[in-house]
Amino acid sequence: MRTYPPELLDLLDEGRVRYAGMIRFDLGEGSYGFIRQSADYVHAGVTYKAMLDGLIEVSDLSYGTGTVAQGFTLRLSESPDNGITPAVLLNIENYDYRDRPVTIYDLHRHPDTGAEIGDPVALMRGYINAIIHEEDPSSGYFMTVECESRGLYYSRTNGRIRSQDDQQRRNPGDKVNAHLATSGRVKIDWGKA
């Protein structure tokens, strides 16, 4: 169960809390963070780069229980005035992003002093499923990052068998599938002695 500082709970009751949205990408090459405020911010060893309001749009975050996959999308549009050109957006293809974690946080601040109230709160966690590059004549070039929760694995059915490489992407160091390819198949006749 999550606990919040009493000061934050009081300000939430009053409806006077300031928020700064944060996004953390844990790619194969390292962790990258962005925060919606005018100055960079450091949390848990990651420097969150200040970003302009609306530079990264986050879809509605849906919450549920059970094994239903909860997905969300991030949209990053070109902004040549800020150095974000289509070539910069295409550069993401040079990174190891598939099945990498994405976490969306809220950083709470006091409305009068601007002081942080507690640690950032994780609102949603997901894994990058796909990145789609598009160009719209009216809005320009943009990319959409599709993210999904691990709930998808509880509801997805297919005949594919997970390999050791798949397992390492999901849980580095886990050796549950290390000898999978060499174990062979054994036919078991159930119900016979």
Side-chain angles (χ1 to χ4, degrees):
M1 186 167 152
R2 188 179 291 165
T3 59
Y4 298 98
E7 179 185 14
L8 176 59
L9 294 174
D10 292 342
L11 288 169
L12 286 169
D13 286 341
E14 296 172 19
R16 295 185 346 109
V17 175
R18 283 187 12 210
Y19 297 91
M22 299 168 55
I23 301 173
R24 177 179 173 147
F25 297 93
D26 292 309
L27 305 180
E29 293 75 13
S31 297
Y32 303 91
F34 300 93
I35 187 166
R36 188 172 285 167
Q37 66 180 22
S38 59
D40 291 354
Y41 173 76
V42 178
H43 173 68
V46 175
T47 299
Y48 289 78
K49 296 292 186 184
M51 67 177 176
L52 299 173
D53 201 25
L55 191 61
I56 297 178
E57 298 173 27
V58 180
S59 68
D60 288 337
L61 302 177
S62 58
Y63 302 95
T65 59
T67 60
V68 177
Q70 305 297 323
F72 60 95
T73 60
L74 307 171
R75 179 180 162 149
L76 179 59
S77 301
E78 71 173 308
S79 179
D81 294 342
N82 299 305
I84 301 175
T85 63
V88 169
L89 294 177
L90 279 169
N91 192 41
I92 188 69
E93 298 299 331
N94 296 326
Y95 288 83
D96 179 16
Y97 64 81
R98 178 87 167 100
D99 276 335
R100 296 297 180 166
V102 175
T103 308
I104 298 175
Y105 297 94
D106 263 350
L107 175 64
H108 300 96
R109 294 191 179 277
H110 193 281
D112 302 325
T113 65
E116 297 170 30
I117 307 172
D119 289 330
V121 176
L123 298 177
M124 180 67 84
R125 288 185 172 90
Y127 296 82
I128 298 173
N129 181 45
I131 294 180
I132 301 163
H133 299 272
E134 299 181 59
E135 190 163 4
D136 184 315
S138 61
S139 62
Y141 193 88
F142 63 93
M143 72 178 196
T144 304
V145 180
E146 294 178 350
C147 302
E148 58 192 26
S149 72
R150 283 296 183 227
L152 183 67
Y153 293 104
Y154 301 121
S155 60
R156 181 185 290 171
T157 58
N158 66 22
R160 185 174 182 277
I161 297 173
R162 184 182 290 179
S163 70
Q164 178 64 6
D165 290 339
D166 293 334
Q167 187 65 20
Q168 290 305 302
R169 274 199 311 270
R170 288 165 178 80
N171 189 4
D174 188 356
K175 296 183 180 181
V176 71
N177 293 334
H179 303 288
L180 193 63
T182 60
S183 65
R185 297 193 182 260
V186 175
K187 182 178 178 187
I188 299 174
D189 294 324
W190 292 99
K192 294 185 179 183

